[in-house]
Amino acid sequence: MPLGHLGVNVTDLAAARQYYDQLMPLIGYDKLLADDTQFAYWPAGGKVGTYLFFYPAPEPGYSPERAGLQHLAFMVPTRADVDRVHDWASGRGDEIIHTPQSFPQYPPPYYATFWRGYDGVMLEAVCHKDR
């Protein structure tokens, strides 16, 4: 069974929503809800998958070196989708950690791109197919 949902704290709820409102449709998610205290997405088209909620952080300052979230990986259906997400992140000026490529050190097929998104959180788009 997939995770029911994940909750992520963000420094600025409105700015994070602008970021994720652009990203999430690229990786197959639709808006679920939004108000002054949270916003959320769910898998598009009624697909089974993990919902993603965002909340205002009580204190700013994300670090992948501390206990907590290390990164979020989003599975996409094609390698072209990985490339499209990379182009979007790169076009925004996000820090690209790994350009789209195969990662032979992971169970094949594994084609992915990694970048630093909003608040510096490492994000990944990955395709587990050969095309």
Side-chain angles (χ1 to χ4, degrees):
M1 292 300 300
L3 291 172
H5 66 272
L6 291 173
V8 178
N9 288 346
V10 294
T11 301
D12 180 320
L13 199 62
R17 183 174 173 202
Q18 288 179 340
Y19 185 90
Y20 285 101
D21 275 356
Q22 293 176 30
L23 171 62
M24 298 307 277
L26 296 174
I27 56 173
Y29 276 75
D30 286 335
K31 293 178 190 176
L32 173 61
L33 61 88
D35 61 33
D36 292 340
T37 64
Q38 65 183 330
F39 62 93
Y41 306 92
W42 59 354
K47 293 181 183 170
V48 173
T50 304
Y51 294 21
L52 193 56
F53 286 78
F54 294 86
Y55 306 102
E59 296 179 19
Y62 166 78
S63 174
E65 287 80 33
R66 291 196 301 259
L69 180 68
Q70 200 268 347
H71 80 285
L72 292 173
F74 298 100
M75 290 188 296
V76 295
T78 69
R79 289 176 176 225
D81 292 320
V82 171
D83 296 340
R84 187 172 16 265
V85 171
H86 168 265
D87 291 346
W88 174 82
S90 179
R92 290 183 40 80
D94 289 350
E95 177 190 348
I96 303 301
I97 300 167
H98 296 291
T99 59
Q101 60 188 278
S102 293
F103 288 84
Q105 65 269 40
Y106 303 135
Y110 203 105
Y111 183 80
T113 186
F114 294 77
W115 74 100
R116 296 234 179 261
Y118 185 80
D119 272 341
V121 173
M122 184 167 55
L123 301 172
E124 173 186 357
V126 59
C127 176
H128 294 290
K129 297 178 183 174
D130 287 321
R131 43 189 166 114

